[in-house]
Amino acid sequence: MKLVLETVTKKFDQKAIIEGASFEFEKGKIYGLLGRNGAGKTTLFNCISRNLQLDNGQIAIEEGDQRDDNYDNTSVGFVYATPHLPGFMTGYEFVKFFVDVNKERLAVIEDPQVYLARAGIESKDQHRLLKDYSHGMQNKVQMLVTMLVKSPVLLLDEPLTSFDVVVAHEMKELIISQKDHSVVIFSTHILQLAQDLCDEIVLLHEGKLTGIPSERIHDADFEEEVVKLLSTSHAENNTLNSILLQEGGQ
Ligand SMILES: Nc1ncnc2c1ncn2[C@@H]1O[C@H](COP(=O)(O)OP(=O)(O)OP(=O)(O)O)[C@@H](O)[C@H]1O
């Protein structure tokens, strides 16, 4: 399975944030999306998840020789940087509601307590209102429910920044387990995290997507190269690009 982006353009007020970006993301790999503040990472995720309409180009899901240009938003699991949860529900009530609504998409249905415990929400917290959860606890719940349904595409917007070290470790394992059934893309500003977790790193810079070959990710001068690439314009970078990067993916 592949998520295919072809010459995608998204503008806000006539200004192109994403401009003719093309890339193929494959199932079985974790992709780290890096870009400067305001580069358009969240915008790109909103385009892939059909929250935003494109100004140009296509985004499709391909499975073998089948291509779906009109997949609906249930094909995409999206873990937002800021959790979107109904604060008036308890953790238990929300997971129960989510499981009821999605029961046809779940292979096995367990008690909400089991899911919550697996995400590290202790019994004493399971019946508290979500609005009173810490940011990290809300993130855990959001990640838990998004991953339950095993969508073909999983997007994680800066996913691990609010977790303590123990939970971050567990969540990394959980993210890795998702690549068996999903195309997994996560955005981050933490280069070390991208190096640890990703099979490929993709830069979003000046509206375009460019993949860095996996064999370069662990080079000693990797950070310096990424900083250089994200600090200069594509035109200035042409020589470096041709040596280091694969334009538009493989
Ligand atoms: N709904 C909107 N209307 C107008 N402009 C928007 C909208 N959403 C995002 N933008 C602008 O698009 C640009 C890209 O924003 P986006 O949030 O996608 O960047 P990002 O790469 O996720 O940034 P960061 O790393 O800082 O979170 C920014 O200039 C932002 O102000």
Side-chain angles (χ1 to χ4, degrees):
M1 185 183 17
K2 281 187 202 163
L3 174 74
V4 182
L5 279 68
E6 291 167 350
T7 58
V8 170
T9 295
K10 177 66 200 167
K11 296 178 185 170
F12 290 120
D13 308 324
Q14 300 308 313
K15 182 175 182 292
I17 304 298
I18 317 281
E19 194 166 20
S22 298
F23 205 85
E24 288 191 2
F25 297 92
E26 293 168 18
K27 184 179 83 173
K29 289 185 184 176
I30 297 183
Y31 293 87
L33 183 64
L34 300 185
R36 300 193 62 181
N37 289 127
K41 299 176 294 297
T42 305
T43 302
L44 184 68
F45 282 178
N46 277 316
C47 291
I48 294 171
S49 63
R50 305 293 200 214
N51 289 339
L52 287 174
Q53 280 195 329
L54 305 183
D55 289 286
N56 200 8
Q58 291 90 35
I59 304 181
I61 295 178
E62 286 184 8
E63 178 79 72
D65 54 6
Q66 305 279 335
R67 177 181 163 110
D68 187 356
D69 280 284
N70 287 312
Y71 63 84
D72 71 35
N73 61 4
T74 58
S75 299
V76 181
F78 189 172
V79 178
Y80 298 90
T82 308
H84 292 190
L85 295 173
F88 58 87
M89 288 178 127
T90 65
Y92 183 94
E93 287 167 346
F94 175 62
V95 173
K96 185 170 184 315
F97 169 76
F98 184 89
V99 168
D100 281 348
V101 169
N102 290 285
K103 54 181 178 285
E104 268 135 46
R105 300 174 69 200
L106 300 176
V108 185
I109 296 180
E110 296 183 88
D111 190 272
Q113 282 178 22
V114 175
Y115 292 127
L116 284 159
R118 205 174 289 154
I121 306 291
E122 295 176 30
S123 335
K124 69 176 171 50
D125 295 320
Q126 294 182 0
H127 296 281
R128 288 174 58 204
L129 291 178
L130 287 166
K131 74 178 177 53
D132 296 330
Y133 278 24
S134 71
H135 185 65
M137 288 163 77
Q138 292 185 12
N139 258 329
K140 284 191 218 175
V141 173
Q142 195 199 200
M143 204 176 279
L144 159 74
V145 294
T146 309
M147 290 186 183
L148 271 184
V149 290
K150 301 188 173 158
S151 314
V153 178
L154 176 63
L155 308 174
L156 303 130
D157 199 0
E158 300 183 39
L160 299 174
T161 39
S162 63
F163 294 141
D164 67 51
V165 281
V166 177
V167 179
H169 177 75
E170 288 165 5
M171 290 297 157
K172 273 191 205 173
E173 297 299 309
L174 193 61
I175 294 172
I176 291 169
S177 71
Q178 303 300 303
K179 65 180 181 178
D180 294 342
H181 46 76
S182 305
V183 173
V184 182
I185 312 172
F186 81 90
S187 75
T188 183
H189 291 298
I190 306 170
L191 198 57
Q192 175 82 52
L193 179 64
Q195 287 174 292
D196 282 357
L197 205 58
C198 296
D199 300 291
E200 269 192 47
I201 288 180
V202 181
L203 303 184
L204 177 58
H205 185 47
E206 296 180 334
K208 300 264 192 305
L209 290 167
T210 319
I212 298 185
S214 46
E215 64 272 16
R216 307 289 309 228
I217 294 177
H218 300 288
D219 285 359
D221 61 352
F222 181 71
E223 180 169 359
E224 212 178 299
E225 295 297 352
V226 169
V227 170
K228 207 184 288 176
L229 287 164
L230 294 180
S231 313
T232 46
S233 72
H234 278 309
E236 288 171 278
N237 259 326
N238 258 348
T239 320
L240 192 58
N241 275 349
S242 61
I243 300 166
L244 183 67
L245 303 173
Q246 306 161 313
E247 282 276 356
Q250 331 232 11

